[in-house]
Each structure stands twice: as C-alpha cells, then as structure tokens.
Amino acid sequence: MVMKFTCLTTHLQRALGIAERFTGKNLTLPVLSSVLLDVSKNTLRVRATNLEHAVEITIAGTGAHEGRVVVPARVASQLIQSVGDARVDLEERHGSLLVCTRGRETKINGLNPEEFPLIPKVTPVAVATMDGAVLGRGIASVLPAVSLSEFKPELCGVLFHLASHEVRCAATDTFRLAEFRARYTGDAGKGMSFIIPQRIGQEMGRILTTSEEVTITMGDNQALFETVDVRVLSRLIEGTFPEYGGIIPKNFESSCYLKRTDLLSAVKAASIFSSKLQEVTLSFAKKSVSIAARNAEVGEYITEIPTVITGKERVVSFNYHYLLDGLNLLTEDECFFGINGEAAPGMIRNKADGSILYVMMPIRI
Amino acid sequence: MEQHQMWREALAKIELDLSRPSFLMWFQETDIMHIENGVATVFVPNSFVREWLQNKYHKTILHALRGITSEIKDIAYVIGKPQGNTGTISASFGIKDALKRKRPFSAYGGDEETTPFKDLTVNPITNLNPRYTFATFVVGSFNELAHAAAQSIIKNPGLSYNPFFIYGGVGLGKTHLIQAIGNEVLANNPAVKIRYVPSERYMGEIVDALRNQEMQKLKEKYREVDVLIMDDIQFVARTEKMQEEFFHTFNTLYERNKQIIISSDRPPHAIATLEERLRSRFEGGMIADVGMPDFETRLLILKMKVDSKKINIPEEVLVYLADTIKTNIRELEGALNKVIVASKLSNAPLDAETARRSIAAHLAAPKKFISIKKIIKTVADFYEIEERDLVHRSRKHEVVKPRQIAMYLMREELKTSYPSIGDKFGGRDHTTAIHSCEKITRDLLTNSELEEEIRAIRERIFFDRSVA
C-alpha cells in the first residue's frame, strides 16, 4: 500500500511556504533543506527543521493511505505554487513524490524518510494559552529593535514575558528598545519568561495573524507554540534579558504630537542629506518641530512641521534608521514624540494606544 | 583526558557505519562528560540530537563504547557544551561555521556615535555596571585616600573600614570608585552577594513596596546582602520614612559585619536633614573625600580614554582640554567625545584650534552671554528688589542675602576678582566680598533651600533668553 493523499492546493501552498522558511541552508546535509510529508488517516503533516527550530503543519484531506516521503523543500514549494487547480493529489512511489493535478504529472526525487530528524518532545516547565493575534502583533512590533550583533547573545532575540495580568514582548540592541504590552486575560499559572531567536520571531509574526488560540509550552531550553494546525518548536536563547525598565523615560523635557506620515516622509527626505553618522536633527521649537540634515558633499535639507510643544525648546539628533524603524512600528495617524536632550533617550509611541513604546538614544554631535 | 580519547575512538568506529552527512549532523559537538557506575553521560548540542541519538543510534553508540571498555552499561544524553578543546569533531570539520548563519555585524553605520543605553550593561542581580573597574580608574593626589581605603575594603570586606563613606563634587568618580569596589569584590569571590543602589532607586523601591504591600520582601532583599553600596545618600535624607528604613537596614548589616559603602556629594555633618542617629553611624566608619583632579591627572585621564577608544588625538589638543575643563571629569569626557566626533567628521588632521571650536558650544555657549550686569539684574528680579538697592550701601536685611548671593555667583561664574566685586557693590572692601562668598559656600552645604534658590537663579541666568 503506497501513500496517497488529496487536499486543497491552497492549504498545501501555505504549509510548504511556512515549512520552507524553517529549513536549513546546508548543502552537506540535504535532509535539513527538505520537508517531510507524513500521511496518517485523514491528515497530512508537513514537517521541517534545521535542528534549531522545527515546524509541523497539519492539513486535512481525503482518501489517504499512510506513508512518509521526504523531498527538497524549495522544489516542492515552487512546484505547488505553480499549480492552478483547486485540488492536488500526492502519491509516494519508491521514495519519490508524485504530484498529480489535471493534465500534469510530476515526480520529485525524495530522500530516505528514516533520516529525517525526529522532532523532540518538550517537557513542560510552564504552559499558557493566549490570543494568537496579540502574540503575533507583540512579537512583530518589537522585532526591528533586535540586535544583529552576536556580541551579546541575549539581545539577539525577543523577550517574551507573561505574568498574572500582562503579556510583554521586548527587544533591544542597546541603542534602541521596543516594548509591547497587553493585558492578559487567560490563566498565566506561575508565568513564564524566555527569549526566542529573531528568526523564529519573524516567522511567528507571519504565522499568527488571526485570533485563534495559541498554546505556549515552555520547556528547559525550548518552547513550543501550537495553534490548531501549526506547531512551532524553537530553541530558546540562554541568558537573562536585561532589566530594561529603567531605560524607558517617564518624563520629557520636550514633547509633542505629530502626524506620523508627515514625520516619516520628512525623516526619509532628510536621510538623503545625512552625513556618514546617519543623523537627522530634530529641533523642538515652540510652535513646530523642524527636521534637518546636512552633508558637506550633497547639500542640506530642512523642513518644518507645525505642532505645539510641551516643555522646553530642545535640539537632538537621531540615527535616521532607528527613527524610521520606530515610526514604522506605530499604527495610529498621530504619534507622540518625547525627548530629553542629547544625552538621554527619547521615545515615540502612538498618540492614544500606549501598548507599543519605542525608545532610542540620540547621537551626540 | 581518558574519556575524551575513548569518545574519539568510539566516533571513529561509528563513522564507519554511517554516511558522512549523517555522521556530521548528529555527532558534531558531542563528547563524554563523565562515566559513573557504568553510565556514560554524553553531551549533545541540542534536543534534536538528543532525540535522534536516543532513538536511532543508541545501540550503535553503546556497541562502540563497549567495544572499547566493557564497563559501560548504559548511556545518558544531556544538552550542554563540551569544555575546551577536547576530542570533539566540531573544530576540525569547520561545519559549525557553515551551519551558522552569517549576519551583518552592524546594520546601520553610525552606531559608535550613538551612546548605548547605560542600564543594559548592568548586571541584573548586583546592579553593578561592569564598565567601572580599577583598571580604568585614575589615581591622583585628589583621590588617593579614597582609593587606598577601597583597596583595603576589597581585601577585607566588612572588617577594615565599615561603613565607608565617600564624598565629593559631581563628576569626580565617586560612582566609578564604589562600583569598582563592588566589581572587584565580586571578581575575587563570585559567591558574595552585592547590591548597588542609587538612593533614588531605593526610594522608588520603597514606594513600590508600600503600594504592593511587599515591604517585608524588600527588607529581606536588602538585609541578606554581604556588601551594600548606596550611591548619593543625600537623597535618602529628604524623607523620614526613607531614613528610618535605611537606618534599620544599616543596623542589621552592620551588626553582621557586612560591608556598607556610601557616597554623597557632601560630608555627613553637612547633610542638613540627616537624622542624628544616621549621621553618627556614618561618621563611625571611614570617611574619605574626593577632590578636584590636578592638571596632570586630567591629562592622564584623557590619554587613557583616548587609548581605550583607539583613536589618535594630538597631544596639544589633549593639553588644551585638560587645561580648559578643571572641575569635572564627566565634563572632561563629554568634551573629549565632542572632539572625537569632530575629528571623525573632518578630513584634515585635528589641531588645538579645531578642538577649541568643536567644544566651544559645549563649554561657553551659556556662559559667553553672561555679564556682571546680568547677574545683578537676575538676582534683583529673583528676589523682587531694586537693582539700585542691591549695589548700593543699603544694609536692609532683605537686601543682604541677595547681595551675598550675587557676589558668590560673580565669583563662581565669572571668576571676578574680590576687589572688583567689592567695587561693583558700592565700593565695598574686598574682604566683604570674600566673607560673602565664603558664607554662601558654607551655607550651601547645610541649607538645601538656599541650594534650590541658587539653582533657580543660575537657570534664569543661563537659559532665560528674554533677560538677555
């Protein structure tokens, strides 16, 4: 009896799309850049791993015989993306995968399924459930601040922290810090706190877009995220995420509300003229904020956005990448911008919704 | 190491039975940790490998190991890293590097110009910043007593000088010194419990604890430490509750011979609101002051900073900086940073003139606009008296204090000579001016209201453009 399975093309497309991003890019170990298709009863499980993290997506289908096949992820994914039919038939023959749609018959050479890594079990240290959309948004909104330098491994990921009534995500590269906070209504048990690698953070942000329930199981050095049809297993980054609470400024010497798109386009334009320090200078005057940059070779740029400033007149410069990253995280039309001179961090957030905070250090010129 | 040798031999056998890719995939970075009662404990890099070895290769590994020594009956797999350069195969194959994703080190240029958040490098348990060490602490005549006392505390925490009270002006290295003591004690003995806390943070913790009714927890947290370092104690003196809380903590620690290190901007007897019982306790230990660094020390500090930043700044520029900024090491560093940025931006080599221009804004911006006239006007405005009364020979009580303050400010901010100060105020004698300045300086140490007033006046002088 050979493996046989029929399912909707879109489901398989999504599954392979997710799975492909979890594979390893290693030529010497081809099995790590492959996906395992495991058919049992009326479900197909698509699995991929690079030995740091793993994913398993479950697809419902019909007419199945049990069986397993391992095929290169890119080949399978690209092929299925090109299928126009609503349904697709999968079949295993001598270790290869046959993909049959109307008028097409394709064979993808497979590898030995016995060599595909087993997905380890997680011994739960703590378990909690929460809204997938909140988790996805929380992780996605702090991702840009994750450190890219491996100098401090604990900063190469997103802190996930769950306590009695609150869920927090945070990331920092020591120059800026992004934090997301939301109320938590489920049962947090004794709470949990861990750091997930940036790459998994990205994937979680993509996968978790709907409000379905996610179960989070924290193990010894790994965590498992489960929705109805997707399970993501990730290693956790060892180390303690720094106590960043003291960094978030509570008071500002000068602050204002600005239209986010105005500020965004002003900073973008100014960035063309910034020097190799990549700075743009913001001057908070009484009735306006002006954004300026100057480069001896290119020229200079200045623009003024009228607004009303609370506090004193101040001038401060930021790395424009940091500023743009932060502004892109915010969602409302208007944003709050507070600064504390050139030696202390400034902060931006949405005007009304305080769930996302973005704190950054100025450049000293 | 015999077990490493054994593991290497076992791997050689296992390799024969496996394909090269699977051997690399599953056996890189593995090693035997120890062998006990016939059970060999094997390090594996992650849970995937553990799962696989347990389920797929357990027999193969056991067989290979038993072929070497029959004493092994079973194998346990734990996740961990082999120590040092042992019999593992990771290094020789270089596969780890291939597996590791290469990341751009710094996504955005200018990082070096952005100062990172200070708090992030701080050790979350002790609150100490590892940046503060004795290696970067410059000792001169102005701080050698404090430094010597610190060294003796490091040798004998809790026993030699307890409490250790250090005071001195802003930006002179008090925080550096007391944190360096903490870091050094910790380096000598990692088991020692150290807690560094600025007194303002302590205040915040007390308020939080009162609100969440966790006072007992807070008390325990501070009373279990071996070394307590309290920075800027003068703020504790502001409220009674704080003083009381600190007093009990202090006593508990002191009785148990735990080291207490305290810093302040003035000596204990000059902290006006400090309760008698705390003052006498502070004075019972070792009190050391940190004074102003001399020119040579300032130059040495600059050279050290430049060395650590690996950047070349001409000697004449450093001499200029050391000569210009006399009273505050932090300000000295700030000016140096400005110069460094200027040198990075400019295409020509740096000379003293460009250095002067680049720090001109930093140093003189607020000061260049002030004049004797402006000080007199601001002080008169502040106390709502006539300028004429201030400078003339009026002995009215309400004029005397403002006049003394005006004299003090002239001396402090403009370095006006005493005779000419006397001259400005209706031809008074220079000894009158000296008396006024000394009186205010003295009062400042004990009178926090006066301090507040002078700060407000200074702010008006420097920042209020409408007056100018």
Side-chain angles (χ1 to χ4, degrees), chain A residues 165-284:
Chain A
H165 296 293
E166 188 179 59
V167 54
R168 262 195 295 143
C169 295
T172 176
D173 63 0
T174 74
F175 301 109
R176 65 263 182 71
L177 167 94
E179 194 207 40
F180 172 88
R181 268 170 199 271
R183 282 197 68 73
Y184 177 72
T185 44
D187 177 19
K190 52 189 172 292
M192 58 172 88
S193 188
F194 52 77
I195 310 170
I196 59 167
Q198 186 218 23
R199 188 165 160 193
I200 294 300
Q202 275 171 351
E203 297 310 331
M204 300 302 294
R206 280 195 190 127
I207 295 169
L208 299 172
T209 48
T210 57
S211 295
E212 59 187 328
E213 189 176 76
V214 189
T215 307
I216 306 163
T217 310
M218 185 178 93
D220 231 355
N221 33 35
Q222 46 195 1
L224 181 66
F225 299 86
E226 289 171 285
T227 66
V228 178
D229 60 343
V230 184
R231 303 171 71 214
V232 173
L233 176 77
S234 168
R235 91 183 153 92
L236 298 178
I237 295 180
E238 283 174 48
T240 321
F241 200 81
E243 269 306 323
Y244 62 86
I247 292 166
I248 298 173
K250 310 269 181 304
N251 306 304
F252 300 93
E253 289 179 2
S254 185
S255 60
C256 64
Y257 295 123
L258 290 166
K259 221 177 143 209
R260 196 166 62 93
T261 45
D262 286 359
L263 184 57
L264 205 54
S265 64
V267 173
K268 270 187 194 148
S271 72
I272 303 168
F273 295 87
S274 75
S275 74
K276 57 187 163 187
L277 296 182
Q278 312 203 333
E279 88 287 10
V280 294
T281 304
L282 283 79
S283 312
F284 284 55

Side-chain angles (χ1 to χ4, degrees), chain A residues 79-233:
Chain A
L79 174 76
I80 301 296
Q81 302 300 338
S82 77
V83 169
D85 292 12
R87 285 170 39 149
V88 58
D89 294 321
L90 303 174
E91 212 179 304
E92 184 255 348
R93 194 168 298 158
H94 310 301
S96 299
L97 177 68
L98 299 187
V99 181
C100 311
T101 54
R102 222 171 354 152
R104 280 211 247 188
E105 193 153 322
T106 324
K107 182 183 135 206
I108 304 174
N109 290 336
L111 289 95
N112 182 4
E114 286 307 306
E115 286 196 355
F116 196 85
L118 301 170
I119 310 288
K121 283 176 195 66
V122 179
T123 328
V125 175
V127 184
T129 58
M130 67 178 288
D131 183 315
V134 176
L135 179 61
R137 193 167 88 89
I139 293 175
S141 43
V142 302
L143 268 176
V146 172
S147 171
L148 297 172
S149 139
E150 283 175 14
F151 180 58
K152 282 195 183 142
E154 70 273 18
L155 299 186
C156 293
V158 172
L159 170 77
F160 174 82
H161 182 93
L162 185 67
S164 48
H165 296 293
E166 188 179 59
V167 54
R168 262 195 295 143
C169 295
T172 176
D173 63 0
T174 74
F175 301 109
R176 65 263 182 71
L177 167 94
E179 194 207 40
F180 172 88
R181 268 170 199 271
R183 282 197 68 73
Y184 177 72
T185 44
D187 177 19
K190 52 189 172 292
M192 58 172 88
S193 188
F194 52 77
I195 310 170
I196 59 167
Q198 186 218 23
R199 188 165 160 193
I200 294 300
Q202 275 171 351
E203 297 310 331
M204 300 302 294
R206 280 195 190 127
I207 295 169
L208 299 172
T209 48
T210 57
S211 295
E212 59 187 328
E213 189 176 76
V214 189
T215 307
I216 306 163
T217 310
M218 185 178 93
D220 231 355
N221 33 35
Q222 46 195 1
L224 181 66
F225 299 86
E226 289 171 285
T227 66
V228 178
D229 60 343
V230 184
R231 303 171 71 214
V232 173
L233 176 77

Side-chain angles (χ1 to χ4, degrees), chain B residues 30-309:
Chain B
T30 56
D31 197 2
I32 292 188
M33 182 161 67
H34 55 72
I35 299 169
E36 230 175 58
N37 304 331
V39 178
T41 308
V42 174
F43 277 125
V44 293
N46 58 46
S47 52
F48 289 91
V49 176
R50 183 175 60 189
E51 200 80 7
W52 192 261
L53 295 189
Q54 238 160 24
N55 288 297
K56 299 274 181 175
Y57 292 141
H58 189 70
K59 273 191 185 143
T60 320
I61 300 169
L62 193 61
H63 184 75
L65 281 174
R66 285 183 66 92
I68 300 162
T69 160
S70 53
E71 61 170 295
I72 292 177
K73 309 266 185 311
D74 201 2
I75 306 169
Y77 304 92
V78 294
I79 298 170
K81 279 197 183 76
Q83 276 119 28
N85 197 6
T86 52
T88 63
I89 59 168
S90 64
S92 49
F93 292 105
I95 192 166
K96 178 116 201 289
D97 298 333
L99 272 174
K100 229 182 185 176
R101 241 161 2 103
K102 287 271 173 287
R103 289 168 164 177
F105 181 71
S106 168
Y108 309 132
D111 272 1
E112 47 204 290
E113 263 48 82
T114 318
T115 35
F117 296 126
K118 283 189 208 99
D119 294 24
L120 283 187
T121 43
V122 166
N123 179 330
I125 299 157
T126 62
N127 249 333
L128 289 166
N129 189 333
R131 195 167 60 101
Y132 294 119
T133 61
F134 279 108
T136 54
F137 189 78
V138 178
V139 185
S141 57
F142 68 108
N143 62 7
E144 74 195 337
L145 175 67
H147 180 260
Q151 291 302 332
S152 122
I153 285 171
I154 289 164
K155 286 200 196 88
N156 260 326
L159 299 173
S160 49
Y161 298 116
N162 202 13
F164 176 41
F165 191 101
I166 171 172
Y167 71 92
V170 284
L172 293 175
K174 294 186 302 288
T175 300
H176 189 151
L177 183 68
I178 59 177
Q179 291 220 32
I181 298 176
N183 280 321
E184 191 83 9
V185 172
L186 197 64
N188 289 345
N189 182 1
V192 175
K193 277 190 189 152
I194 300 180
R195 181 159 287 274
Y196 165 85
V197 60
S199 66
E200 277 198 288
R201 166 105 52 104
Y202 184 61
M203 221 178 329
E205 284 181 22
I206 289 184
V207 172
D208 282 350
L210 284 173
R211 192 174 46 204
N212 302 334
Q213 303 184 342
E214 286 173 336
M215 211 52 210
Q216 201 51 41
K217 227 161 112 187
L218 186 78
K219 281 182 179 151
E220 277 159 25
K221 177 172 148 189
Y222 279 97
R223 288 174 195 181
E224 59 165 31
V225 299
D226 298 313
V227 179
L228 177 67
I229 305 174
M230 178 75 79
D231 207 351
D232 288 324
I233 194 85
Q234 69 271 14
F235 297 121
V236 165
R238 280 189 189 158
T239 69
E240 270 169 34
K241 177 73 189 158
M242 284 269 293
Q243 293 205 40
E244 190 191 318
E245 207 40 61
F246 182 71
F247 174 78
H248 292 305
T249 302
F250 184 99
N251 274 351
T252 315
L253 291 177
Y254 188 77
E255 272 162 25
R256 294 184 196 154
N257 274 339
K258 306 295 187 190
Q259 181 70 47
I260 300 157
I261 301 170
I262 297 161
S263 89
S264 166
D265 63 350
R266 63 198 95 163
H269 63 81
I271 306 176
T273 50
L274 191 67
E275 277 179 42
E276 196 51 44
R277 51 182 182 177
L278 270 178
R279 176 175 317 155
S280 71
R281 275 173 176 76
F282 290 168
E283 284 171 347
M286 167 80 182
I287 298 186
D289 73 319
V290 177
M292 304 286 176
D294 49 22
F295 173 76
E296 286 75 16
T297 318
R298 292 198 298 272
L299 193 59
L300 189 63
I301 292 170
L302 285 175
K303 281 189 176 158
M304 203 143 118
K305 291 277 163 205
V306 170
D307 277 351
S308 71
K309 290 198 158 98

